[in-house]
Amino acid sequence: QKEVEQDPGPLSVPEGAIVSLNCTYSNSAFQYFMWYRQYSRKGPELLMYTYSSGNKEDGRFTAQVDKSSKYISLFIRDSQPSDSATYLCAMSANTPLVFGKGTRLSVIA
Amino acid sequence: NAGVTQTPKFRVLKTGQSMTLLCAQDMNHEYMYWYRQDPGMGLRLIHYSVGEGTTAKGEVPDGYNVSRLKKQNFLLGLESAAPSQTSVYFCASRGPMGLQPQHFGDGTRLSIL
């Protein structure tokens, strides 16, 4: 079993939809959780990060961490065509980040 | 702010040739990382450094060497390039505290013929 599992998609949604992106993990020591967004031919850029369990909201983005289920989510409200990108989850136990393989999202106008 | 800068952006090599990829950061970060990104494989850690003069192996270190002679620079070397090393290489850096996120460069696209 991979340490971090992420459905690669692709995921295609209409503009304005709510998008849910998810990762599961096996290492219970992970305590730092991050979401990165990567546009084509660019490096990943940090979108959200949280420590331990709970929710964090930033504008249209909400990150959730459920350590008991070893499950993290990223919700995007009112999705826009500019949100079309690959979304990578990443997590760490104060060690180098372990990344999911990324989910490719397309938001259709 | 420049952030993390990778040089070169593109390169084509022949099998057996050597080259060095340069990563420079201007954020005074302690930690620096080299990843490769391949279709269907995600980001895989090659080597990393927790400070000037230190290096450590990541998940896929074979065929690569690194050096961190200056805090702001992290070099990735391929001594004898192989077609399996065709990939997009990303450098990242971060500060010393646990929750500080990694900042990435825009990558080097390397093709080995």
Side-chain angles (χ1 to χ4, degrees), chain A residues 4 10-11 18 29 41 43 45-46 55 64-65 70-71 73 84 90:
Chain A
V4 179
L11 182 62
I18 297 174
R41 295 185 171 268
E45 57 177 337
L46 181 71
N55 295 358
Q64 289 186 350
V65 175
K70 297 190 181 68
Y71 188 87
S73 300
S84 298

Side-chain angles (χ1 to χ4, degrees), chain B residues 66-84:
Chain B
V66 288
S67 65
R68 183 96 180 272
L69 298 179
K70 294 183 179 181
K71 185 177 184 179
Q72 65 267 33
N73 295 337
F74 195 27
L75 277 62
L76 178 71
L78 286 73
E79 289 189 348
S80 180
S84 61

Side-chain angles (χ1 to χ4, degrees), chain B residues 52-103:
Chain B
E52 181 178 321
T54 73
T55 62
K57 294 180 179 180
E59 179 186 356
V60 288
D62 294 342
Y64 305 95
N65 57 74
V66 288
S67 65
R68 183 96 180 272
L69 298 179
K70 294 183 179 181
K71 185 177 184 179
Q72 65 267 33
N73 295 337
F74 195 27
L75 277 62
L76 178 71
L78 286 73
E79 289 189 348
S80 180
S84 61
Q85 295 176 305
T86 293
S87 187
V88 182
Y89 291 86
F90 287 101
C91 177
S93 71
R94 75 167 177 91
M97 300 304 290
L99 186 53
Q100 290 193 22
Q102 291 178 188
H103 299 265

Side-chain angles (χ1 to χ4, degrees), chain A residues 2 32-34 36 38 40-46 49-51 88 92 94-97 99-102, chain B residues 10 31 33 35 37 40-43 45 48 59 90 94 96-107 109:
Chain A
K2 295 283 187 181
Y32 303 106
F33 303 92
M34 301 178 185
Y36 284 81
Q38 185 176 22
S40 181
R41 295 185 171 268
K42 301 290 284 184
E45 57 177 337
L46 181 71
Y49 65 94
T50 56
Y51 172 72
L88 301 150
S92 166
N94 208 19
T95 52
L97 284 173
F99 285 85
K101 293 183 178 180
Chain B
F10 306 94
Y31 291 65
Y33 306 85
Y35 294 88
Q37 188 174 41
M41 300 296 290
L43 279 164
L45 182 64
Y48 65 101
E59 179 186 356
F90 287 101
R94 75 167 177 91
M97 300 304 290
L99 186 53
Q100 290 193 22
Q102 291 178 188
H103 299 265
F104 284 82
D106 279 338
R109 294 181 176 275

